[in-house]
Every structure is written in C-alpha cells, then in structure tokens.
Amino acid sequence: TEMQFWEGAKQMLPLSLTVATVLVTAILLAILRPRRVKHLPDRLRGVVKSVVVPQTKVLDGLNFPLILSPKDPQAVGADRLAFINDCDTAMHDIVRDYGAVLLRGWGPCSAEHFANVSAALQLPATNMACSAGPRFAVASNVFTANEAPPSERIPFHHEMAQCDTPPSLVLFFCEKAAAEGGATPILQSHLAATFLRSRYPDIAARLAEKGVRYVRIMPPVTDPSSALGKSWRNSLRVETHEEAEAALRAMGSSFDWLPGEMLRTVTKPMAALLYEEHTGREVFFTAAESTFNNVEDEVDGATVPTAMGAPIRPEKGIVYGDGSPLDAPTKEALHEVAMFMQRAQVAIPWQPGDVLILNNSTVQHARESFIPPRRILASLVGYLSKADNLHEVELVSKDAVCETCISPSSTMDTLRTGI
C-alpha cells in the first residue's frame, strides 16, 4: 500500500543519506587529492609533499595554489633553502605551470632567509623604480609589502602592470600573520579577462583597441602616510623640475605642475588585455589602484581641487589610451570585474614562515584588510616584456633596464629602516 511504501522509504532514508555523503566525500577527495607535482625532480620527491587546504581550487587539473611542505616534521628554513637550490631551474617550470606555489611547514624564518630563497631562484632582482607603493628595504632585494592602511583592501592587480618591464616572479614572505584578516588573495588572471570579454564584450574590445593611460599625482617629498606617496624626485631619480620634465618627455608621458610642487603625470598608452606566451591565454594585465580607483580630476580633466585649503594628496587612476575619460559603462564593467575576482579568488590565511611564489604573467594578487600587527615582506625577480605578447625576457642586471622605459607611476623607495 501507499502507507507501507512511505514507511519503507523512511527506513531507507538514513542509508541513502549516508551513501550520498560517502559519494560526495569521495568525489571531493578525488578532486583535491595531493597530486604528483609536475617538473619536480625525482630525487626530491622524498623531500616534499603536495598538500591541500580547504581553500585549494583545482584549475586545469592542477591545484591552485600548489602547496609544498616538507615530509620531515623537523625540517627548518635551511632545509627549504637546500630544497630550492636542489630544484635548480625546475622551480621556474613549476611556478610557470601552477601559477602559484606556497612553501609551508619549514617553521618561522628571518628576512635574511627569505632573501636567500629569492636569490636561489637564480633570476636578477627587478628594477624597482616602477613599483606602486612606498616600501622599506629590510634585506637584499627584500622589502615591506604595500604600506596601505590596514583598514583598506588592496584590489587585484599584476605587480607593476603600469611598467614596460614588470617582474616575472613575485615572492611574499610571512614574518608575522595578522590577528584577523590580512590574507593575500590570488586569482588566475585569464578568468578575469574571460569574464570581461563574455559579460562586457564592447568594453573589452575598446580596452583592447585603445589601451589605457595611467594617471598619477606625485608629491615633491615622499609621503609615508599614503600608499601612493612616493615623491616624483625618487620616482624619476631627479632633483629639479627641469630634470623631471626631461625624464617624462623621454618616457612619452605628459605632465602638469600643481600647487605645492605636486606633479600630475599621464603615461603613454599601455595594454590592458594581453596574451600570455606560455599558456596562450588572454590576461587582464592591469594595476590595482589604476583600475579600480579614480583620480579626482579623471572625468573632466580639471586641476585637482584643494577644497577648503585641503592639501592635494598622492593619487592614481586611468583614462583610455586615446586620453578620453572612462565613461559610466566602463566604470560599471570594471566594478563588476572586481566583484567577480573577489568571488573567484583563493585566499589562504598566512602562517609564519610561509613563502608564496607567484607567476606575475598569469596570476593577480590582492590584500585583505586586517587587524595589526602583520608583517609581510616581498621580493621581485626576473622581467616580463609586454611587446607583442606577455613573455619573459632576460636582462642581466638592473643596469640593463632602460631608464626611459620606466613609468612615472613609480613609487618604490630605497628607504632603510636601520637594518
């Protein structure tokens, strides 16, 4: 009878739920299982293991990020350095394919250890004149991460996307994790480009055709209270107005002097959408503040107001490559892209001693707001070229960088903290 049928169904329900739970668990474990690491030399497979965390995603059949931890629970920082040295250039191939590699489990380490890890990758230190935030050097090619206020989220971006020769690898090191928040979210950049192309094809086509120009307002003296506060003197490596103007003309940048010796610069047109050589995929290769924040005078081109005598603050924004301001549909599209990237991100909480290595040509990063204290250090190595497509190039030293190729969006300081 119908009554007997429903009574039997009730008895079978717990068993059905148990079977379903087992199946779902098995599927998840199969998807997120530790996998054989591509390019890892056989001699090192007994040294490290691939692990997963709840935030791990699988993209194109590869864990994102790839998390490597020592098999020896007593391993320390020196063992991690030995592992990277033993990897030789294989680590480049691993980072290139996975996009992001998190080295975790070797315990707390020093900034000097991080400097040695960076050097072990055997790539030249990136010329930092075009970086996008005042920073403080703490060791060889190691400096503090963006000094933006802890209450602010730093949007997704490719490091030094406003420059002609960005770094090929971006390294982060956790010296002290935040009490709350403070993760460094990461994202495969082709996802953002695909979203923009599919959701806003006309805007994407316009960005691809026209490119963008980066607008920057720089102070005469570095303002450490601003995430964009590097002075035009340090940015351009000059002392006088005349020298600054000559440097900007050589770069193909336009400029205006504002009250208080503030300098407003506009770069030459630069690509916002690029095809990455290794994957063949299109990436959304833009800078954070430049894409999602506006310079106050961006829309009408007017001089920055000093309402009620308030000082002009360092700022940054973009216009189209032909000089036209971003219209409302474009700003809406960029806002939606930003929201999509937050939904698609991977944000793994930091642990002291973590080292995160990013392929800057395919992976964007951001920073969550946080409750201090928090200390994350960074190191940039290698070079990318944006000529024709996005690809790695070999520059033998910092001196090999063409100074006239440096964007006036530069904000890297060579300030020291006494270390």
Side-chain angles (χ1 to χ4, degrees), residues 363-380:
V363 174
Q364 297 192 38
H365 65 276
R367 191 205 70 184
E368 292 182 345
S369 59
F370 64 92
I371 296 177
R374 171 188 184 268
R375 187 171 170 86
I376 304 298
L377 304 179
S379 181
L380 308 182

Side-chain angles (χ1 to χ4, degrees), residues 13-91:
L13 185 59
L15 178 61
S16 299
L17 289 175
T18 300
V19 172
T21 300
V22 171
L23 287 175
V24 170
T25 301
I27 292 172
L28 290 176
L29 288 175
I31 293 174
L32 294 177
R33 73 184 186 277
R35 300 158 183 260
R36 182 180 177 85
V37 180
K38 294 177 61 177
H39 308 298
L40 185 66
D42 289 339
R43 67 182 183 279
L44 296 177
R45 295 190 181 278
V47 177
V48 296
K49 58 186 177 182
S50 171
V51 301
V52 297
V53 295
Q55 296 85 358
T56 301
K57 291 187 177 182
V58 176
L59 300 173
D60 299 325
L62 300 176
N63 289 348
F64 183 73
L66 171 67
I67 305 176
L68 295 178
S69 293
K71 290 187 175 181
D72 180 1
Q74 305 301 317
V76 295
D79 299 308
R80 173 165 55 190
L81 183 59
F83 163 69
I84 296 176
N85 281 320
D86 288 342
C87 276
D88 198 26
T89 57
M91 184 57 71

Side-chain angles (χ1 to χ4, degrees), residues 149-173:
S151 59
E152 296 181 8
R153 176 187 171 92
I154 298 176
F156 273 108
H157 62 287
H158 287 274
E159 191 67 29
M160 293 169 55
Q162 72 276 15
C163 310
D164 283 333
T165 51
S168 56
L169 298 183
V170 178
L171 289 79
F172 292 107
F173 169 67

Side-chain angles (χ1 to χ4, degrees), residues 84-217:
I84 296 176
N85 281 320
D86 288 342
C87 276
D88 198 26
T89 57
M91 184 57 71
H92 300 175
D93 296 326
I94 295 171
V95 176
R96 186 181 294 117
D97 276 7
Y98 286 85
V101 177
L102 177 61
L103 303 175
R104 166 173 286 182
W106 280 269
C109 302
S110 66
E112 288 71 22
H113 164 78
F114 179 47
N116 291 332
V117 168
S118 178
L121 294 175
Q122 303 178 47
L123 290 172
T126 307
N127 186 310
M128 294 300 300
C130 197
S131 182
R135 305 171 190 244
F136 301 90
V138 296
S140 177
N141 196 36
V142 171
F143 43 87
T144 56
N146 194 300
E147 298 291 326
S151 59
E152 296 181 8
R153 176 187 171 92
I154 298 176
F156 273 108
H157 62 287
H158 287 274
E159 191 67 29
M160 293 169 55
Q162 72 276 15
C163 310
D164 283 333
T165 51
S168 56
L169 298 183
V170 178
L171 289 79
F172 292 107
F173 169 67
C174 179
E175 195 169 77
K176 185 174 183 59
E180 181 178 327
T184 299
I186 55 177
L187 172 90
Q188 292 278 7
S189 188
H190 76 272
L191 299 177
T194 300
F195 177 86
L196 179 62
R197 287 282 191 185
S198 61
R199 187 69 63 89
Y200 299 96
D202 293 341
I203 301 297
R206 195 188 314 173
L207 284 169
E209 176 188 359
K210 296 184 177 182
V212 296
R213 292 178 184 261
Y214 291 89
V215 182
R216 180 73 193 282
I217 298 175

Side-chain angles (χ1 to χ4, degrees), residues 178-418:
E180 181 178 327
T184 299
I186 55 177
L187 172 90
Q188 292 278 7
S189 188
H190 76 272
L191 299 177
T194 300
F195 177 86
L196 179 62
R197 287 282 191 185
S198 61
R199 187 69 63 89
Y200 299 96
D202 293 341
I203 301 297
R206 195 188 314 173
L207 284 169
E209 176 188 359
K210 296 184 177 182
V212 296
R213 292 178 184 261
Y214 291 89
V215 182
R216 180 73 193 282
I217 298 175
M218 294 182 283
V221 178
T222 296
D223 178 2
S225 69
S226 169
L228 301 171
K230 188 178 181 185
S231 72
W232 52 263
R233 288 186 170 91
N234 285 336
S235 297
L236 302 173
R237 302 297 191 260
V238 299
E239 291 295 333
T240 68
H241 287 208
E242 292 75 18
E243 290 172 342
E245 292 172 5
L248 291 168
R249 290 191 187 98
M251 297 175 195
S253 298
S254 61
F255 59 89
D256 293 292
W257 291 102
L258 304 177
E261 285 195 291
M262 299 291 282
L263 179 59
R264 182 185 191 272
T265 62
V266 184
T267 70
K268 65 185 180 183
M270 296 185 177
L273 291 162
L274 283 165
Y275 281 92
E276 197 274 327
E277 185 176 69
H278 179 67
T279 62
R281 285 172 162 165
E282 189 176 43
V283 294
F284 190 42
F285 203 78
T286 52
E289 302 89 352
S290 307
T291 307
F292 305 114
N293 296 338
N294 297 320
V295 170
E296 288 180 282
D297 65 339
E298 175 181 295
V299 175
D300 57 15
T303 301
V304 178
T306 53
M308 301 181 65
I312 302 172
R313 296 286 292 169
E315 295 191 53
K316 187 177 179 182
I318 62 171
V319 295
Y320 273 113
D322 61 2
S324 60
L326 303 185
D327 55 18
T330 300
K331 291 181 179 180
E332 177 186 355
L334 293 179
H335 174 76
E336 288 302 315
V337 170
M339 294 301 99
F340 165 78
M341 291 195 287
Q342 288 193 43
R343 295 193 299 271
Q345 72 180 23
V346 174
I348 299 177
W350 284 110
Q351 293 181 9
D354 282 353
V355 171
L356 177 64
I357 309 175
L358 303 180
N359 178 357
N360 194 40
S361 64
T362 60
V363 174
Q364 297 192 38
H365 65 276
R367 191 205 70 184
E368 292 182 345
S369 59
F370 64 92
I371 296 177
R374 171 188 184 268
R375 187 171 170 86
I376 304 298
L377 304 179
S379 181
L380 308 182
V381 296
Y383 290 98
L384 297 174
S385 170
K386 297 189 288 185
D388 297 326
N389 56 28
L390 195 60
H391 59 281
E392 297 176 33
V393 291
E394 293 185 9
L395 296 177
V396 297
S397 70
K398 294 181 181 180
D399 295 333
V401 178
C402 171
E403 290 299 329
T404 61
C405 295
I406 297 174
S407 159
S409 299
S410 309
T411 50
M412 171 60 196
D413 268 325
T414 54
L415 301 177
R416 296 278 174 177
T417 58

